[in-house]
Every structure is written in C-alpha cells, then in structure tokens.
Amino acid sequence: MDKAGAALKLTELFGEYDAVGVIHSIVVELSKYIIIILFAIYTWHCFTVFMGKNEERKDVIYKRQNKIMFGIHFICSLVLFLNSLDWTVIAFYLAQLALLIFVNKAYLYVYRNASKLVLNNMLMLLMIGFVMIGRISQGYMVRQMIFAGIICVLGLFIPLLIEKAAYFDQFGKVYAVLGILLLALVFVIGVERNGSRNWIKIGSFAMQPSEFVKILYVFFIAAFFSKSTSIKNVVKVGMIAAVHVLILVAEKDLGAALIYFITFLAILYVASGRAAYLFLGLGAGSAAAVGAYYLFTHVQKRVIAWRDPWSTIDTAGYQVAQALFAIGTGGWFGMGLGEGLPTKIPVAESDFIFAAISEELGAFFAICLILVEISCFILFINIALRMTRRFYKLTALGLAVEYIFQVFLTIGGVIKFIPSTGVTLPLVSYGGSSVLSTVILFCIIQGLYILNCREVEEVERQPKRQQRR
Amino acid sequence: MRGSLRDSSADRRTGRGQYLPARQEKERVVERRRGNRQILMLTYCITIVFLCMAGFLVYFMVAQSQSVINNPYNKRQEVLAKKVTKGKILSADGKILAETKTDEDGKDSRFYPYRDMFCHIVGRTVNSMTGIEGKQGYPMLAAHINPLTQLANTFRGEKSPGDNVVTTLDTKLQKAAYEALGSQKGAIVALEPSTGKILAMVSKPAYDPNRVEQEWENLIRYPNEESALVNRATQGLYPPGSTFKILTAIEYIMENPDTYSKFHYDCSGTDSFSGNVINCYGKEQHGSLNLKMALAKSCNGAFAKIGTTLDITKFRKLTERFLFNKSLPVDFEYNKSKFSLTKDSNMGELTQTVMGQGKTMISPLENAMIVSAVANNGEMMVPYVVDHVESDAGRKVTEYHPKSQGKVIDEWVAKKMNKLMQSVVTSGTGYSLSSLPYEIAGKTGSAEFDSEGNSHAWFVGFAPADKPKIAVSIVVEGAGTGSQYAVPIAKKMFGQYLGE
C-alpha cells in the first residue's frame, strides 16, 4: 500500500484528523512513562553497580547508563520538537548531543582512572538541565550550553593543573584573602537580584562570586586543618570562616551563608575527630538562625512562606505555593514535557527548576533525581575515604558536603521541606556561575583522586626500583 | 549502597605494596583511615536527611497534593481542560446542577440548568471560582475512564469526559426553600443531623451564574444593597435573636441538672436587672412560667433572669464547643460566628446576650449546626456537600464520609432540649407547624438590628423530633417576627421533605 492509500485508510478509520496532533499527543503520553522507566533503571544502576567486583560487568553497566542518558535526551528533544515543529529545536538537540558525546569521550580519556559513574551522573544532570531550561526558554538554554561547553573544555586541564601544583596546601592564607576579597567585591560593584546583593557585573557579564569562592574556601579550610586542629588553629580558621559567612549574610545570600557554615563544621569534625565541635557548631548555628529570624525581615518572610504559604499567597508565599501547585498538579507521572505551566513559578529555570521537572516529568522522576544526587554524593565520599594525603581528603570531603548541602537547600526549599533559601540545583539549574563552579568541583574531586592514585603508585614503585638496582 | 562506601581500595593496594617495609605501609594505611569514621558518620546522617526529604515529597503527593492544587491561584485547570471535558455537578437525586457545553467553535463553557437557584453553593467559574466549582475543579478535570477508551479518544482528537461530582443536595427541597423565600432577602440551610449532609442551601438575592460576565458590573457595584455574590447562608452574620435562647437554656440545664425543672418566673411584660430594663415582645405579659414555657413563649424576662445566674466562663466554653469564634471544619467560604460575652461584661450586655441580642453574631449555617447537634443527641456533625466523585461510567473515585465534630453536649441534655423545643411548636411561637403529622422541635427568633425595632425573622428546628431527618435554619432579613415570616417557610420545607 502506498502512502496516500495508508493515509486514506487511516482517515476512514478515524475520520478527519490532525496527524501531527495525534502523533504528538501519543508521543507525549507514552514518553512520560518511558522516560520515567528509563530514568528509574539508570538510578537503580547508580546504586547496584557496586555489587560484585566484576570490572567488565561494571563497564557494561556504565555504557548502559550512557545509552539511557542519550535515549532520554532523544525522547525529550523529540517531544520538544513536536511541541513546536521548530527546526531550531533539532539543531540545538544536535549541538547538545555533540557536546555530551565530546565531554564523555574526552573525560574518559583524561580522567582515565576516575569514577565513570561520576561522569555519567554529571552528564545526566547537565542533560536534564538542557532539556528543562530549553523547554522554559531557548535563550537561557543557549547560554547554559555555551557556559557548560567552555567549562567542560577547561575542566579537561584541571588534572594537569592539580598535578603541576602539588603544593596546594601551602597557600591557605592566599585562599582566605582572595576569597574574602572576591566576596567583598560585591559591595563595590555588586548588583541586586531576587532580593540578594550577591552578583557582580562586568560589562554584560554577570556572575556570582560566592559560587567560585566556595571552592577556594574549602581549599583554605582544608589547608589549615590538614596541618593542625589545635584549639588555637580552630579559633583562627573559625574567625576567618566567620568573615566569609558574615559577608554572605550581609549580601542577604542566606543559602550560600548556610552552605559555607555547614562545610566548615563538616571539615572541622572530620579533621579533629571530635563530635563536640559538630554539636557546638550546630548549636551556635541554630542560635544564630533564631537571631537572624528576629533581626532580618527577609528571613522572617522566608520562614512565614515556609510555614504557611497559603495565607501569604499574594506576597511571600507566592513562589512556594506555585511550586507546590506545579508538583501536585503534575502528579506521579507528570503533565508531559511542554504540557504544564512551569513558567507560572518565579525563577523556574533556576532556583525552582526542581518544581518544573516534577510538574512535567513527574514526581517519580523527581524522586529518582534526588536519588541520583545522593549517588553523586556517595561517590564523592567514597573518593574522600580513599585519599591518603590529609589535604586531599579534607578537600574532597568539603566539596562533597558543599555539593550535597546545596542540593538539600534547593530541593527542600522547593517542596516546602525547609524554608526556601534561593540556591541553584547544581548542573541542572540555569546559571553560568553555578554550572562553572559545579563542573570545577566535579573535576577537582576526580582530579584529586587521580593524583592520589598516582602518588600511591609512586610510593609503591620506589622500593621496586631500589630492588632492581 | 553499603558496597559503594566500603574502602575497597585498601585491600587491593596492600596486596600490591607488599615490597614496602611493613612499618611504613602501616603508617600510610593509618593515615588514610584517619577521619574516615567521621566521614562515614556524616554520610549516614546526610543520607538519612535526604531519604526523609524524598519521604516528605511522597507524603506530599499522597496526602496533601489533591487539596493543595484545588486553589484558585493554581492556573492549571485550563491546561487540563485541553484534554478533558470538565465533569458535571449532580444533585443527590441525579439532576444536573452544572455541566460543560461546547459551542460550534469548540469553546467550552459551564452551563447551570437551574440558573440562580443553586448559584452560591454550586458556585461559578467566571470571575474567580467559588463554591463546589472552585473546590472540586481538579477532580472534575480528571478522567477515570478506561485507558483504551482514552487512547481511542486521543486518536479521534476528542476529549475524555471528566469525573462527575455528586452532591448531597436535594433539588426538590432546594426548590421548595427557594420558592418559599420568594423575593425576600435571607438565607436557608437544611442539614441531615445524623450525617451533616447539606440537603439545601439558599441565599437571596441570588444571581444567574450563566450570565456572570454580562451582569458583572452590576454585581460588583458599590455600594450594593443586594450583595448577590455573598453566600448569606455561610458568610452572612446576623444577631441570633431568640434562637440563641437554646444555648442559654442548655447552659442553665447543665449548671442545674437537678433543679432546672423547678425554675419559675413571673412575667409582667417588663423587668429590670440592676437598672437594665428588659421587655418582652410587644410587652406581652406571659404570667407564671417554668423553663419549658419560658422557651415556648420566648419570654425575654425569664431568660434575662436565667442569664444572671449563669457562670459566664462556662457559658463561653459551651459556645466555643459549638464553634463560636472558631474556624469551621468545612470546605467552602464562610465567616466565623462571634460570641463576645466574658465574665467582665456588664449586666446590660449580659442580659441582652443571653436572649440573643447584644454583640453576638451568627451565620445561618452555624445556627443549623447547633440545632442539628441537639437533634443528633449532642453529637455535632461536620456539614459537607460533596458526597462522592464518580467517573463518567459511574465508578466511584473518591467518597466522602460523615465526620463527627465530637459530643458538644451530653445526650441527656440534648434529649431534654429536644423536648423543650417541641413545646415551642405544641404551645408556643411555632404553633402553626403543629398541623404537620409528625412532632417538630424548633425555636423562633426576631433579631432586632436597629434602634427602630426592625428585626430579622429566624426559625431553627428539626423533624421528626423523635428521629430527626432534617434540620433547618432560616433567616429572613428585616421581615419581622420569626413566627410570622420564617415558620411558614419551615413548614413548606418539612412538608416537601417529610410529607404533609
């Protein structure tokens, strides 16, 4: 039967119908379930890949995860294309595909000994971000792609950099001074966005110093604590860390201030081995939080919006309420990509992207996303556990805690588990600074691990050479 | 998950480092392991927090999301309406109260066959969502039909039919109440005392929900004597007048369980309490009265006297058990009834309040809940109007069950009050109801709202008194006495619901 005959037969069967419309609604409807199933399989592998020691099997699983990632990317892009019948969607799809394939290949080469699962997760999160940001605004997505592309290329050189500077732990004071100066720069050339004065603008390029300083900050604390955790040193480092945190509080960047604070406590606890520091710090932190609540109206607003967004739905509670509408209306399986109203949520492309994802891709997908984030964290921790040099261990741990605590703040804030603090979901949210710093964070952890392996091998090789002589 | 946390490299590398001097190797391992216990502790804590967070999301989806998304600020109804034709709102007797009609251009609009008769309780979708339309919008946009049928609909480019909301409303009773109120302003609520089902709810003036767009300017005109958009049955607050004597009598019985039957008062049409003069209606002299006849004749002097003996703190607690000054556990717009008497209030306010004047304000719904509690042996049921949601094929999707607000008064007090309220009909202000072939309990009220003696006409009551099936609360604004203007409406409603 020829094409015209098939069309005629279809018309007989179903009457006059809009072919694209029908294909579209079927694809959208089916894709919801397929995407969730694929992502669930991916998530499952994130946790089960470590069962058993068979390296070949692991490689098979990593490749499968890769295929799943590309599969989800293809389906999502197809739906986005059918939504608009706009050929630029295809062009962007191909560009993203090229970027993802390039990063995948290049990183497998450069980070040869590193965890492939970390790489898979990084690509998966970036991909979800591309799809969701592209669905909300193509302009944002293009910018995101450019930033991700640049930083992924630069990330290839991080292992080299780390290798060249094996004395990273010697510059504790430099990190501290540089970090504080960069943070304070906001007071000089800062601009205010979404109620926080935490952006600096140079020409048309805006960036968030706190995103970059958080890496220097971990270096600084790890450098000091890897040498000594004497009371004197703890007090000194604590004071300098407090300066960081207080600058962030003054910028009204509460999320970053919390992340910095918790990271300090975590590194201190591991470095000193004393739980007392942890409890003391958490106690002081809680007291400070209560104090902040009474001192600052913007803190009160966030707490009110958290406790009861419904009675302040016109003002403070609007954003959280819209996020909950999105998640609730989306249901377990989502409205389908392009079928919801994520643009009703203020800053859906950035701080509240989790709500947009849950609305259109479903709560099941969102829960899998939470699990993938945990998987990333556990992998980082796994790397920290294997580190021999104190400085590496503390750095890896600090970065891991920074990462996961940020995820906690953003997702918890969106689903009304905790008050919203306005931080991004790393790699997924739109935001140049956020993507840059997160990719760097991923690269440093991986790079440190490679370096650690090499050092171990060096130490092991030396006696061998001696024996040969 | 544990596997990933194990320090697996340790074993492998030890194997390879066998050439190392044992001491050096040991030091390295110790160095590597230092702090790992703490790292693991942190990891466990953080993982637990994350699992709690995922659990919270699951809890939100299961337990809260349905009620959360039913919010007029959630603009996603239009999105859902592209795939599903919004379902119908049906009465308990199967009549259509609201449905979606599609015009030739494929544009949907809601149609209300009964026009203004159910406008407040059923609500509207134009210019903000109200009533059942507002609260059940999302359930009506879900289509619980066969997935294959749904797929076939998608193929044909047709929408699937949404679920229908079946209410507890009785169209015949609603019609009787609507017609009995006629062109007067006022409100009527009818409940089933044993369940809290709302059988009828009328508020006048009403508006035609089919013509909201055309009439809108007129409806929101200010100042607006009509206030047709307001649901007087739940949002209107009126002085309760003599209907409040029910609560005064209940409190008196509870405080004097052994001696209330010996209450005695000689009415001369007017009396004075610490200089505050209390007159009976038309200064009528009721003569020698016990509690039963004081209620039946609605003697103001007798109740003012009762009031002076009451423990005001306890009385206040009683009114709060009946949900004065409290949020009502209902799923529609309402205003809180107010009771402001405290033990520091002066004698003037006290004597006025106990006979239903003073500052007390009550909604017709609240008054219906009070008599329903008396009718239901002291147990107050939460009023509800949605019985269940069913798919287009008639399969039940969500069912709503009666909910108790708890025993607000003891059973024996309720039974006694039931008897006292029957005397209002057999030998008091509600006498014209005695022609009906079953016992009726009730109380009239004429609530003065200005200094010229104009009053709202009230009647609250239930029937049959021995096994109540319906409780009503009727207020006619500015009409005059309850027995003259509210009782005839009650008679028509009882007649319609229970037979004449």
Side-chain angles (χ1 to χ4, degrees), chain A residues 125-201:
Chain A
L125 294 174
L126 273 177
M127 185 278 286
I128 294 172
F130 288 154
V131 168
M132 217 52 226
I133 299 166
R135 179 258 175 273
I136 293 168
S137 153
Q138 246 175 20
Y140 284 151
M141 190 267 290
V142 172
R143 287 173 67 97
Q144 180 85 346
M145 259 174 65
I146 293 172
F147 281 121
I150 292 173
I151 195 57
C152 284
V153 171
L154 291 180
L156 293 171
F157 299 99
I158 285 181
L160 286 176
L161 205 70
I162 293 179
E163 207 174 333
K164 288 272 185 292
Y167 307 105
F168 263 117
D169 55 342
Q170 302 303 315
F171 307 118
K173 283 180 192 138
V174 179
Y175 303 136
V177 171
L178 205 61
I180 289 176
L181 283 180
L182 275 173
L183 284 183
L185 204 57
V186 167
F187 295 117
V188 187
I189 49 170
V191 285
E192 193 165 318
R193 273 196 197 176
N194 302 331
S196 298
R197 192 183 173 83
N198 56 358
W199 291 79
I200 56 174
K201 211 170 175 188

Side-chain angles (χ1 to χ4, degrees), chain B residues 352-364:
Chain B
Q352 290 292 329
T353 303
V354 292
M355 48 177 258
Q357 293 296 148
K359 295 177 189 156
T360 310
M361 294 298 258
I362 193 170
S363 67

Side-chain angles (χ1 to χ4, degrees), chain A residues 14 17 22 25-26 28-29 47 50-51 53 266 269-271 273-274 278 310 313-314 318 322 324-329 331-332 335 339-342 344-345 354 359 363 366-367 370-371 373-374 377-378 381-382 384-388 390 393 397 401 404 407-408 411-412 415-417 449 453 456-457 459-460 463-464 467, chain B residues 1 3-14 16-17 19-21 24-25 28-29 31-44 46-47 49-54 56-62 64-66 68-80 82-83 138 150-152 154-157:
Chain A
F14 303 116
Y17 71 104
V22 168
S25 41
I26 291 173
V28 168
E29 201 56 33
F47 293 95
F50 298 105
M51 293 175 180
K53 288 233 176 284
Y269 168 57
V270 172
R274 289 196 196 153
L278 196 61
W310 315 116
I313 195 161
D314 280 317
Y318 184 78
Q322 289 296 336
L324 293 178
F325 290 155
I327 296 169
T329 315
W332 289 108
M335 307 269 270
E339 305 293 303
L341 284 179
K344 289 275 175 206
I345 318 162
F354 187 78
E359 172 178 11
I367 287 171
I370 294 179
L371 294 175
E373 303 279 8
I374 300 179
F377 172 65
I378 289 175
I381 288 296
N382 203 18
L385 289 175
R386 295 185 195 185
M387 294 296 188
T388 310
R390 203 88 189 116
K393 189 186 277 292
L397 168 88
V401 169
I404 200 64
V407 173
F408 171 67
I411 296 181
I415 67 174
K416 204 171 84 73
F417 185 56
Y449 179 61
C453 292
V456 169
E457 279 169 22
V459 175
E460 287 166 358
K464 276 190 218 169
Q467 272 186 346
Chain B
M1 203 188 298
S4 64
L5 286 175
R6 203 165 43 214
D7 192 358
S8 60
S9 66
D11 329 314
R12 210 168 51 218
R13 304 232 179 272
T14 321
R16 225 187 284 167
Y19 303 104
L20 277 177
Q24 204 184 333
E25 167 66 15
R28 251 173 22 80
V29 172
E31 174 67 9
R32 183 170 65 228
R33 290 199 178 150
R34 194 151 69 92
N36 279 6
R37 201 171 60 84
Q38 283 78 14
I39 293 180
L40 285 176
M41 281 304 293
L42 278 179
T43 311
Y44 290 139
I46 291 175
T47 310
V49 169
F50 263 71
L51 292 180
C52 289
M53 187 164 79
F56 180 82
L57 181 56
V58 172
Y59 168 74
F60 170 79
M61 293 304 296
V62 172
Q64 297 181 324
S65 65
Q66 287 311 311
V68 160
I69 62 175
N70 250 322
N71 188 307
Y73 279 81
N74 188 359
K75 301 296 180 201
R76 287 168 177 79
Q77 290 209 9
E78 297 151 33
V79 179
L80 295 172
K82 281 186 206 154
K83 292 178 185 170
Y138 282 87
Q150 213 161 356
L151 194 66
T154 310
F155 261 113
R156 290 192 212 98

